[in-house]
Amino acid sequence: MAQTTPNHTQTVAGWAARDSSGEIAPYTFKRRENGDSDVTIEILYCGICHTDLHQVKDDWGMTMYPIVPGHEITGIITKVGKKVENFKVGDRAGIGCLAASCMECDFCKSSQENYCDQLQFTYNGIFWDGSITYGGYSKMIVADYRYVVHVPESLPMDAAAPLLCAGVTVFTPLKDHNLIESQRKNIGVVGLGGLGHVAVKFGKAFGHHVTVISTSPSKEKEARDRLGADDFIVSSNSKQMEMGKRTLDFILDTVSADHSLGPILELLKVNGTLVIVGASSKPLELPSFPLIFGKRTVKGGIIGGMKETQEMMDLCGKYNINCDIEVVKPDDINEALGRLVRNDVKYRFVIDIGGNSSSL
């Protein structure tokens, strides 16, 4: 393992955390030359994910400093290798969480690279050449084209950036449960944050009855009027939770804070499914009776494969689905991270890396 190899000759300006304080500061580093299977991308925008916050502070005990975060990247391709297919210079491109996988296992061969046991991430990972991966808080990036997607022309590059993590994270469970082109179902979304607000948009675009389940009564107007939710349940209101029992076919739980799954499971119909995509730092409380007496299923999921990610981006272009964002300058990253800790954003921060207008 090394930060760079002799092939890392391109000097890049970026922003990094150097220790567990999580403080982000300007950082100059090297990226590899564009290889035969690589594309070079001038980065325009990069979303700030909650994962970035955990990684810069080493909350999970796996951070390799200095760390350049960022796995919600949009930009313009400036160079392509001779073995690259389906991409050309000038294309609008996106990079999500994946940087490399073995490309030989059953998961890779079935477009589920996100479950490959040799998966490496866009930042804080180890690339094929042994170098540490650096993410999108930087001016440019070199990536294997097989882990890059096209950004539809109809999507603004800033609001499209968080789709590459938040978007595919909530899209894949809907696809897995045949909720993209199915008859109208009653689906629930737990939490109305960076993941949840996109899940509501997908649910409505795909023609379903969407119920938001939240601890915050103040979010009801936002859920209904701005995002188009059909119903709203305050999870701390026992009367509302009782009335909601056995009404939902499917629930997507996007909340990372500690919470009990028992009351949420009771909202599912018999044979209903709860999919967890919010990563709680504590073990989940999962009582057995709601499972046993409702023949219910609890599953998890992480992002999506590359084929799913491109499909998700294309559908976002078709239905005009974007993330609701607040654009910040690189100098304001630390302030944005502090606000993210307090959930003070609707609903995702995006860094204007290239100094561009949001009309791109």
Side-chain angles (χ1 to χ4, degrees), residues 302-318:
I302 180 173
I303 51 175
M306 295 312 302
K307 184 178 179 180
E308 290 169 327
T309 304
Q310 186 64 70
E311 180 184 359
M312 180 270 306
M313 294 297 284
D314 291 342
L315 284 170
C316 286
K318 176 182 177 180

Side-chain angles (χ1 to χ4, degrees), residues 69-102:
H71 57 209
E72 300 176 346
I73 303 163
T74 57
I76 303 296
I77 292 179
T78 59
K79 188 180 293 185
V80 297
K82 63 183 180 181
K83 293 182 180 179
V84 171
E85 300 175 1
N86 301 318
F87 290 98
K88 64 183 185 302
V89 171
D91 280 354
R92 293 155 49 97
I95 297 175
C97 301
L98 309 184
S101 61
C102 78

Side-chain angles (χ1 to χ4, degrees), residues 21 32 113 237 285 288 311 339 351:
S21 70
R32 70 180 185 273
E113 303 93 339
N237 186 313
E285 182 183 333
S288 59
E311 180 184 359
R339 287 178 55 193
I351 308 165

Side-chain angles (χ1 to χ4, degrees), residues 4-9:
T4 61
T5 73
N7 190 41
H8 285 64
T9 60

Side-chain angles (χ1 to χ4, degrees), residues 149-346:
V149 296
H150 291 278
V151 178
E153 291 290 339
S154 59
L155 296 180
M157 294 287 267
D158 53 0
L163 293 173
L164 294 157
C165 176
V168 72
T169 294
V170 297
F171 170 81
T172 302
L174 297 174
K175 178 179 170 63
D176 287 346
H177 293 83
N178 302 311
L179 292 169
I180 296 176
E181 295 181 347
S182 70
Q183 64 181 11
R184 185 177 174 87
K185 297 286 188 180
N186 293 326
I187 70 173
V189 176
V190 184
L192 195 64
L195 297 178
H197 89 285
V198 185
V200 173
K201 291 185 178 186
F202 278 135
K204 293 305 299 178
F206 301 153
H208 301 300
H209 183 283
V210 179
T211 298
V212 172
I213 302 132
S214 174
T215 58
S216 304
S218 61
K219 291 186 177 181
E220 180 170 3
K221 181 175 176 60
E222 179 91 2
R224 291 183 183 272
D225 297 348
R226 183 172 178 179
L227 300 174
D230 300 285
D231 281 314
F232 190 93
I233 295 175
V234 180
S235 56
S236 58
N237 186 313
S238 57
K239 183 177 180 180
Q240 290 185 20
M241 291 292 284
E242 182 67 28
M243 290 177 62
K245 281 186 175 181
R246 293 197 172 192
T247 61
L248 303 176
D249 299 290
F250 175 89
I251 297 176
L252 189 61
D253 189 340
T254 70
V255 174
S256 58
D258 184 33
H259 62 293
S260 174
L261 299 182
I264 295 170
L265 284 168
E266 296 284 10
L267 300 175
L268 285 170
K269 297 177 182 178
V270 173
N271 281 317
T273 299
L274 168 65
V275 177
I276 298 167
V277 294
S280 175
S281 60
K282 297 181 180 180
L284 294 170
E285 182 183 333
L286 181 61
S288 59
F289 279 14
L291 290 177
I292 295 170
F293 285 98
K295 200 179 179 182
R296 299 173 177 113
T297 302
V298 178
K299 301 172 66 175
I302 180 173
I303 51 175
M306 295 312 302
K307 184 178 179 180
E308 290 169 327
T309 304
Q310 186 64 70
E311 180 184 359
M312 180 270 306
M313 294 297 284
D314 291 342
L315 284 170
C316 286
K318 176 182 177 180
Y319 291 110
N320 193 30
I321 296 173
N322 294 306
C323 293
D324 291 2
I325 63 168
E326 180 178 336
V327 178
V328 298
K329 297 177 180 179
D331 289 347
D332 299 324
I333 292 174
N334 288 311
E335 179 184 352
L337 289 171
R339 287 178 55 193
L340 186 59
V341 172
R342 304 189 297 273
N343 295 316
D344 179 23
V345 59
K346 288 185 178 179

